[in-house]
Amino acid sequence: MQQTLTLPASLSPTLNYVNGEFVATDKWFSNRSPVNGEVIADVSEADSALVDQAVRAARAALDGPWGAFSPAERAAILQRVADGIERRFDDFIAAEVADTGRLVEQARSLDVYRGVANFRTFADLMKVAGGETFEMRTQEGELLNYTVRKPHGVIGIISPWNLPLLLLTWKVAPALACGNCVVVKPSEETPSSATLLAEVMHEAGVPKGVFNLLHGFGPDSAGEFLTRHPLVDAITFTGESRTGEAIMKVAAEGVREVSFELGGKNAAVVFADADFEAAVNGVLKSSFTNSGQVCLCSERVFVERPIFGRFVAALKQKVESLVIGYPDEPGVGMGSLISHGHRQKVLSYFELAVQEGATVVTGGGVPSFGDARDNGAYVLPTIWTGLPDSARCNVEEVFGPVCHISPFDTEEEVVRRVNDSKYGLAASVWTTSLKRAHNVSRRLHVGIAWVNTWFTRDLRTPFGGAKLSGLGREGGRHSLDFYSEISNISIQL
Ligand code: NAD
């Protein structure tokens, strides 16, 4: 069951895409499989000269045919990009799975599916996006105000490794829909699906310079060169909160706009009146999907005391029945982590939890396979109990397949404890009381609160985090607003 660890042939080696051409520099880094540690491709690292070339190509393209495209023409091109991803659906799955070790089924039903949906959604939204009109009477007569949307110019897009295609296209699609040109820098861990996207852009007839792709790292590499480039007009970033802080300082030069989707330490709250089975399955999903490497995953689970013991036992049983293995093996419920580096970080929290006095309900180590997967980046799904809210394992984002479960007694108490975090991305609440569903969810300091579900997204709704979890909102018209410069025209009639 190892055929899904191979990349589509065109990605070996993996190149940058600048001004309509695939290009290499003389610097390379290795893309390693997290499943068995083997090198799957050499990736060309963009140097500062190539970054400069990409940004200038994007700027020039604004004055080329792209600048003259109507919103409907841009929407048509985005639909062609979506068609192109659909045509190469299996290649995208292969790329996503080979880079990340995620389950094939997840790549199919979530990652690549959403890549297509992102382009179709923003193509449709752009076609119906209107503006505002205000009329007023002055001493001179009637004044008519109306707004128009203009592109910002060149958008720098920096994305993480955890949902590579989904998160990249979530920004590329609205940025292009609004008439901008983009220079994108995917994570060094996941260069493949972004490169396939460049192939699709090329085939779809996106004019040269409109979409540019650079590979490399963050500090002192392509990421930093891109954010520092003075011809980048706005920066949109998804990743760790401390990287967001670093980028925000750089973006202050030239007072460039930023949109940030950052880290989280999300809570799930299970009330005693919840549908018990639904809540256990919901928390299983919200804590362990993608090996816990979703920014929205719940690492802090609060369960009302009367059902605490029963809940911990039921979740333990479900977690222990998750089969860990190859991405395409039938029945497998969890794949590897993204890399050995990240596994080191997760394992350091496994160790820290024990030092902090946690009870390890299940997991806490690495699985043993007796084959090549022992060279992979696997860990066991893990549940802790018994830690105070102030323990580092309850405060810091682990970003692995792990949750801590603690009991609570009152609504007031749990709202206070959920909100006692420097993060504020998401929460899920499990209850059958309608009143409680409304009362609790609206008091949580988060960008998104789910009730009796988790992760389902309507792409027209606002998405983003409070506190350290982000800045601004994307999704629906919020994306169109960020990726547009909105001007008011005021006419004396
Ligand atoms: P990261 O911050 O390490 O890296 C993200 C991207 O930033 C990569 O492409 C990296 O090369 C680049 N980068 C790093 N330092 C940079 C710098 N100084 N200048 C410019 N670019 C730089 O994040 P990660 O480890 O790839 O992703 C995991 C994190 O992302 C987690 O904290 C997770 O919660 C967060 N995340 C948030 C959301 C959200 O929507 N809020 C979604 C997904 C992931």
Side-chain angles (χ1 to χ4, degrees):
M1 289 294 167
Q2 297 189 40
Q3 61 270 36
T4 52
L5 307 183
T6 315
L7 285 173
S10 64
L11 299 179
S12 223
T14 307
L15 302 180
N16 305 282
Y17 181 70
V18 173
N19 205 20
E21 285 178 27
F22 287 92
V23 287
T25 60
D26 51 13
K27 218 169 161 191
W28 297 86
F29 63 95
S30 297
N31 181 3
R32 276 181 192 279
S33 162
V35 172
N36 58 19
E38 284 174 16
V39 173
I40 52 174
D42 293 324
V43 186
S44 168
E45 183 180 346
D47 53 18
S48 60
L50 191 61
V51 174
D52 182 56
Q53 218 177 304
V55 175
R56 288 182 190 280
R59 182 136 292 277
L62 289 164
D63 301 324
W66 187 242
F69 276 33
S70 70
E73 286 168 326
R74 292 197 299 263
I77 241 186
L78 294 191
Q79 294 287 9
R80 287 217 295 278
V81 172
D83 295 343
I85 300 175
E86 271 178 345
R87 257 197 309 277
R88 300 189 62 188
F89 211 87
D90 288 342
D91 282 349
F92 276 93
I93 292 175
E96 213 69 325
V97 169
D99 278 5
T100 63
R102 72 194 44 209
L103 306 185
V104 169
E105 188 37 43
Q106 183 201 307
R108 184 189 315 284
S109 60
L110 175 66
D111 299 273
V112 185
Y113 170 83
R114 264 291 297 279
V116 174
N118 286 337
F119 281 104
R120 297 219 189 281
T121 300
F122 287 106
D124 289 345
L125 284 171
M126 195 61 212
K127 281 203 321 205
V128 296
E132 292 169 285
T133 323
F134 295 100
E135 293 172 51
M136 77 182 285
R137 179 160 295 171
T138 68
Q139 281 176 342
E140 289 83 40
E142 299 293 323
L143 193 70
L144 172 66
N145 297 278
Y146 67 93
T147 56
V148 290
R149 285 178 187 280
K150 303 170 189 165
H152 278 296
V154 178
I155 311 279
I157 299 179
I158 301 199
S159 56
W161 47 258
N162 66 316
L163 297 168
L165 183 70
L166 186 160
L167 292 169
L168 188 72
T169 53
W170 174 242
K171 293 175 179 298
V172 170
L176 295 186
C178 293
N180 301 282
C181 293
V182 300
V183 182
V184 310
K185 210 296 281 171
S187 168
E188 55 274 29
E189 305 283 1
T190 51
S192 300
S193 56
T195 312
L196 280 185
L197 182 64
E199 291 179 14
V200 165
M201 293 274 172
H202 199 81
E203 290 153 12
V206 174
K208 66 177 190 172
V210 172
F211 175 90
N212 303 275
L213 166 72
L214 301 167
H215 294 299
F217 302 81
D220 203 25
S221 181
E224 187 179 341
F225 300 152
L226 177 60
T227 54
R228 283 202 184 280
H229 200 293
L231 295 181
V232 170
D233 299 293
I235 299 166
T236 178
F237 166 74
T238 305
E240 284 193 23
S241 301
R242 64 168 179 268
T243 311
E245 285 175 348
I247 292 177
M248 199 164 178
K249 286 184 189 145
V250 172
E253 274 168 48
V255 197
R256 275 117 19 106
E257 280 209 56
V258 292
S259 173
F260 286 164
E261 295 174 346
L262 308 177
K265 187 72 181 175
N266 311 302
V269 179
V270 183
F271 286 96
D273 65 16
D275 174 336
F276 187 80
E277 258 319 284
V280 174
N281 287 326
V283 172
L284 180 74
K285 195 173 157 199
S286 74
S287 294
F288 300 99
T289 293
N290 201 35
S291 302
Q293 303 166 120
V294 179
C295 53
L296 305 162
C297 274
S298 7
E299 294 189 0
R300 295 183 297 150
V301 181
F302 299 92
V303 179
E304 203 168 1
R305 200 173 299 274
I307 60 162
F308 178 76
R310 193 170 142 234
F311 186 92
V312 173
L315 191 65
K316 172 183 190 310
Q317 196 244 319
K318 297 252 181 206
V319 166
E320 287 176 351
S321 65
L322 280 177
V323 179
I324 308 167
Y326 282 118
D328 59 344
E329 219 173 316
V332 165
M334 204 179 98
S336 67
L337 294 178
I338 185 67
S339 65
H340 286 81
H342 188 55
R343 181 167 83 156
Q344 255 338 95
K345 177 185 164 190
V346 172
L347 289 178
S348 76
Y349 279 101
F350 284 5
E351 225 175 280
L352 178 66
V354 174
Q355 286 162 16
E356 289 188 310
T359 300
V360 181
V361 175
T362 187
V366 298
S368 170
F369 298 100
D371 58 30
R373 286 170 295 179
D374 289 334
N375 300 321
Y378 288 91
V379 297
L380 290 169
T382 296
I383 301 176
W384 302 315
T385 55
L387 289 176
D389 292 353
S390 58
R392 276 182 55 202
C393 289
N394 263 334
V395 170
E396 298 169 15
E397 182 186 45
V398 181
F399 218 52
V402 59
C403 66
H404 177 271
I405 316 181
S406 50
F408 70 90
D409 293 298
T410 67
E411 206 172 286
E412 206 54 38
E413 173 203 336
V414 80
V415 167
R416 180 182 48 73
R417 289 173 67 192
V418 169
N419 288 339
D420 186 16
S421 170
K422 57 190 175 166
Y423 292 105
L425 186 53
S428 48
V429 177
W430 297 87
T431 178
T432 50
S433 158
L434 184 62
K435 193 172 163 192
R436 176 173 274 157
H438 286 287
N439 282 342
V440 172
S441 51
R442 60 198 296 155
R443 289 175 66 200
L444 301 178
H445 296 168
V446 291
I448 180 162
W450 282 281
V451 178
N452 296 331
T453 186
W454 174 79
F455 199 74
T456 319
R457 294 274 333 283
D458 181 325
L459 303 186
R460 295 167 298 184
T461 60
F463 181 83
K467 301 188 265 185
L468 256 193
S469 291
L471 194 62
R473 294 290 179 271
E474 296 195 34
R477 76 169 174 80
H478 304 276
S479 292
L480 301 186
D481 286 351
F482 174 73
Y483 293 104
S484 306
E485 191 70 63
I486 300 174
S487 298
N488 186 56
I489 314 285
S490 193
I491 300 186
Q492 182 72 60
L493 298 177

